Amino acid sequence: KNEVEQSPQNLTAQEGEFITINCSYSVGISALHWLQQHPGGGIVSLFMLSSGKKKHGRLIATINIQEKHSSLHITASHPRDSAVYICAVKRADTDKLIFGTGTRLQVFP
Amino acid sequence: DAGVTQSPTHLIKTRGQHVTLRCSPISGHKSVSWYQQVLGQGPQFIFQYYEKEERGRGNFPDRFSARQFPNYSSELNVNALLLGDSALYLCASSRVGTVHSYTFGSGTRLTVV
């Protein structure tokens, strides 16, 4: 079983829909990252969370440390949000990131 | 301020050859990590270097090696290339601390034929 699991693997939406991507992990962590990867491959860091909730524009990320679960929400989705969204955790005992396999989001006009 | 820069952006090599990938971190970042992302999968940790010393190594064979230079830039070397080494190689830099953020480069796409 992977240490970081994401769901769903693939997600399609109509423009304007509210989107939720989930991440569960099984290890002790010091931080959780939500990343966005576009088809060219480059990765952009969206959020780093160690507790609570963060908001940036139409993106909201939450984390529940007790339940080892995080969610990424996109409000009023837009076709330009189409990308792979990756959850990555930094284990408490090392400096490396452990990545989920990503959620491929396609938003249609 | 420049972001994390990786070179080359694309590379085609033949089985058995050797390859060197380069990464320059953000100014002020002393830690560099390397990740391999095979098509359709999430990135896998290869190495982390901090202050020119190896801080962590993933489950990769000894054909993979890396080093960090005094200016904190880093090289990833892969010897005796296999077809399965074809992947996107990502570099991330960070300030090491209790909790720190990572900045990723755009990656080097390596194709082994």
Side-chain angles (χ1 to χ4, degrees):
Chain A
K1 190 179 189 297
N2 293 334
E3 291 171 297
V4 180
E5 298 273 2
Q6 282 185 242
S7 63
Q9 285 188 303
N10 294 282
L11 186 55
T12 58
Q14 289 295 125
E15 184 173 357
E17 286 186 1
F18 180 85
I19 287 161
T20 296
I21 300 170
N22 295 298
C23 175
S24 296
Y25 54 92
S26 57
V27 296
I29 70 169
S30 58
L32 181 143
H33 299 257
W34 281 103
L35 309 164
Q36 182 191 57
Q37 186 172 35
H38 281 279
I43 288 180
V44 174
S45 180
L46 299 174
F47 294 104
M48 180 180 68
L49 295 161
S50 53
S51 64
K53 175 180 175 179
K54 286 190 176 180
K55 184 176 189 292
H56 184 247
R58 295 180 294 106
L59 302 178
I60 303 166
T62 64
I63 188 168
N64 185 319
I65 296 293
Q66 287 72 31
E67 294 185 4
K68 291 190 164 71
H69 181 268
S70 175
S71 293
L72 175 68
H73 305 286
I74 305 176
T75 61
S77 59
H78 190 276
R80 65 174 174 267
D81 296 327
S82 299
V84 175
Y85 292 84
I86 303 174
C87 169
V89 301
K90 179 182 174 300
R91 284 178 53 152
D93 56 347
T94 76
D95 284 328
K96 71 176 186 180
L97 289 176
I98 303 170
F99 291 77
T101 53
T103 295
R104 184 172 300 276
L105 171 66
Q106 288 184 289
V107 182
F108 293 98
Chain B
D1 188 21
V4 176
T5 55
Q6 289 189 245
S7 63
T9 55
H10 295 82
L11 198 54
I12 300 175
K13 288 284 192 179
T14 306
R15 273 181 303 175
Q17 284 189 312
H18 161 270
V19 68
T20 298
L21 310 180
R22 296 178 175 83
C23 172
S24 292
I26 283 180
S27 177
H29 285 192
K30 298 181 179 180
S31 176
V32 170
S33 303
W34 288 95
Y35 296 85
Q36 180 197 63
Q37 186 177 25
V38 174
L39 195 63
Q41 298 182 20
Q44 298 290 318
F45 173 75
I46 311 175
F47 285 110
Q48 189 206 9
Y49 274 78
Y50 174 65
E51 289 284 12
K52 302 181 289 294
E53 292 190 1
E54 183 181 299
R55 286 279 292 267
R57 184 187 179 109
N59 190 23
F60 280 80
D62 291 343
R63 300 183 296 107
F64 287 76
S65 63
R67 55 180 176 167
Q68 187 177 32
F69 298 98
N71 66 354
Y72 304 109
S73 66
S74 177
E75 283 182 354
L76 175 70
N77 296 283
V78 187
N79 293 324
L81 285 166
L82 303 174
L83 296 180
D85 296 330
S86 295
L88 180 68
Y89 288 85
L90 293 160
C91 171
S93 77
S94 62
R95 294 182 194 274
V96 174
T98 305
V99 176
H100 51 273
S101 187
Y102 294 81
T103 302
F104 286 84
S106 298
T108 294
R109 187 164 297 283
L110 172 66
T111 303
V112 182
V113 296

